[in-house]
Amino acid sequence: MIGMDACKDMMATLPVGPGALVAIALVAIVLLNALRQVLFKNPHNPPVVFYWIPVFGSAATYGMDPYKFFEDNRKKFGDVFTFVMLGRNITVALGPTGNDFVLNAKHSDVSAEEIYTNVTTPVFGRGVIYDCPNHRLMEQKKFAKSALTTNAFKTYVPLITKEVRKYWFKSPEFFGGDSNKISGRTNLMIAQPEMTIFTASRTLQGEEVRAKFDESFADLYHDLDRGFTPLHFVFPNIPIPATFRRDKAQKKVSDTYMEVINERRRKGKLDNPDLLNVLLKEGVYKDGVRMTDREIANLQIGILMGGQHTSAATSTWALLHLGADAALRDALYREQLEVCGSDLPELTYENLQNMPLLNNTIRETLRMHPPLHSLMRYVRHDLQIPGSPFIVPKGNCILAAPGVPMIDEHYFREPLRYDPNRWVEAKNQISLDTTDTSTTITKGAKSPYLPFGAGRHRCIGEQFAYVQLGTILSLFIREFDWTLLPGQEVPKPDYSSMVTLPSAPAEIIWTRRQSKEKN
Ligand code: X2N
């Protein structure tokens, strides 16, 4: 041991100051870390993406463009490799086989909740989704599914229609109260999130919840949104204003849902097929435990948040791609006329089922822009990767990126061309497994097209999304013709939020069809 005084004496005699010493130490740490990576490679573990800065690892290259990161490393290592991101070891498994490995991994081996709870629980609240044992989540998905039936969807289409029209009339992004306006310019990154939350809350949560979005709920959900970010995924309780506002908003929104629940009970108003009523009536787990009002409230937040970001991003991407393709907009308009009649009466759920081009447009949008680029699981026990010599050590994450095969020319010809008609032939070639797996586990994960995931965590919102997006897009096609800004192409993706969004400007210029035909 060297005493403090002796140490000071030594430093005094050194030819460099303390600042330089720290710099030298850091350089040494970086070099030793680099040397360790080059010299000690464990042949039993997947290859590791080289990184300079300890702990931080490949965070920046992954975070800025995950698809480029996956593609570059697939060229170097093949479908399986590990990268370091902010202290975590994340093993990527690409391709349909990788999808199957991650998404159909045994529940006893991996868990989603251990990874996602950091970012979801502070926003949704306690006791639901990733803040409860997995068997509870499975039953919550089953409860929610009973509000997502064909009979419910039939009532949702007219409700969505009404909300969209009301929004167009009011919003300064459209008519701003002046229904004689015949053209305008709309920022879709403002309009689509608003349209999405109004239509989702009206259908899934009822009239009185929807009404709250004209008052306090819009701002509160905005605060929840700003606490639902990759930053909070990495640092869940980072002490910044966005985090404090998130926590305050969660309590207020949850309390408000509980008031709505009590109100409905008092009035015996439980006949609408919305999610809130379904949970009030059927929210009893198999072991006899009833969901508490708090849990029902928090599940409302979770499901609305889930539907919100994904659906708003998808309608935005679809409208942008349509803005770049006049022939496609025209064909979609003709489909409306053919299916519904030339007088275009109110849209119905049955109409939507008879519009293959519309549904293929949604399908194609999700192929090029699946909202979630990374699906992760925490590894609880050492895991052998089938068909490889590698073992993923306990404590790692495994990551599936279903979006990678979706833009791989091996599976989709001219993958970067937006072409809804590719699905007319492809439907016979690729098995599109869209089986409901809220309670059962299918083996449908070895597919190159999985925008809704697979396995026990598969999305339950697919059908709702098709109804919501199909209705909103139909209404746009009927009412407007539109283009991108002059000289503009479909924007590049921006990966800095929880879902893959278009970067700015995500704007369209529209004219009204009726007024066009009148002139
Ligand atoms: C610091 C760039 O930015 O260098 F919502 F009921 C509700 C979604 C989980 C996304 C994880 C990490 C990005 C780091 C960038 C419900 C409908 C759901 C499904 C590094 C320098 C939520 C985590 C995003 C990692 C990207 C979890 C959603 N259907 N909704 N460095 O979803 O389902 C729900 C489910 C996730 C992520 C990331 C970085 C049920 C940087 C710069 C910076 N990601 N991300 N949902 N990074 N940098 C949902 C699944 C559940």
Side-chain angles (χ1 to χ4, degrees), residues 235-427:
F235 307 108
N237 289 311
I238 182 172
I240 55 172
T243 309
F244 310 138
R245 289 203 198 99
R246 172 197 71 187
D247 294 343
K248 252 178 123 173
Q250 197 288 323
K251 250 189 82 43
K252 271 201 194 154
V253 173
S254 183
D255 286 348
T256 310
Y257 280 116
M258 285 175 73
E259 284 162 26
V260 172
I261 290 170
N262 284 326
E263 188 91 338
R264 281 198 190 182
R265 279 220 190 84
R266 215 170 37 242
K267 291 183 180 163
K269 245 185 76 182
L270 302 172
D271 41 328
N272 279 341
D274 65 37
L275 188 64
L276 204 45
N277 282 343
V278 164
L279 292 170
L280 288 174
K281 283 192 280 197
E282 297 173 35
V284 184
Y285 296 116
K286 277 185 291 209
D287 60 3
V289 173
R290 180 174 275 281
M291 285 188 81
T292 64
D293 287 3
R294 177 64 75 193
E295 287 162 358
I296 294 176
N298 292 347
L299 191 55
Q300 302 300 313
I301 302 176
I303 288 175
L304 206 65
M305 285 295 281
Q308 173 59 22
H309 292 90
T310 48
S311 208
T314 306
S315 71
T316 302
W317 281 115
L319 291 168
L320 291 168
H321 279 286
L322 294 182
D325 189 340
L328 179 56
R329 291 196 303 279
D330 209 54
L332 283 162
Y333 186 60
R334 276 183 276 117
E335 184 177 65
Q336 292 289 323
L337 297 172
E338 274 157 31
V339 173
C340 308
S342 54
D343 55 336
L344 289 179
E346 287 295 277
L347 192 72
T348 67
Y349 176 75
E350 285 76 14
N351 290 158
L352 292 176
Q353 306 315 303
N354 294 318
M355 294 175 173
L357 183 59
L358 178 71
N359 290 306
N360 285 338
T361 297
I362 299 169
R363 194 162 287 123
E364 179 70 346
T365 305
L366 290 168
R367 180 185 69 79
M368 291 184 69
H369 310 285
L372 305 178
H373 58 72
S374 299
L375 305 178
M376 289 180 246
R377 305 287 183 263
Y378 178 80
V379 178
R380 296 149 116 187
H381 309 286
D382 288 4
L383 254 189
Q384 164 83 44
I385 301 182
S388 90
F390 301 134
I391 288 168
V392 184
K394 163 183 173 171
N396 272 30
C397 278
I398 49 178
L399 185 155
V404 170
M406 297 202 262
I407 49 165
D408 183 340
E409 62 190 356
H410 187 258
Y411 301 104
F412 295 93
R413 154 161 61 70
E414 288 187 77
L416 299 184
R417 213 180 90 216
Y418 183 83
D419 176 17
N421 283 312
R422 74 170 69 237
W423 293 100
V424 177
E425 320 135 49
K427 254 191 160 161

Side-chain angles (χ1 to χ4, degrees), residues 56 59-64 85-86 116 119-120 124 129-130 228 230 233-234 299 302-303 305-307 310 372-376 459 495-499:
F56 185 75
T61 32
Y62 164 75
M64 271 157 52
M85 178 175 77
L86 299 156
Y116 293 153
V119 70
T120 54
F124 307 165
I129 320 256
Y130 304 116
F228 194 56
F233 175 85
V234 180
L299 191 55
I303 288 175
M305 285 295 281
T310 48
L372 305 178
H373 58 72
S374 299
L375 305 178
M376 289 180 246
C459 186
Y495 302 101
S496 62
S497 321
M498 288 300 279
V499 300

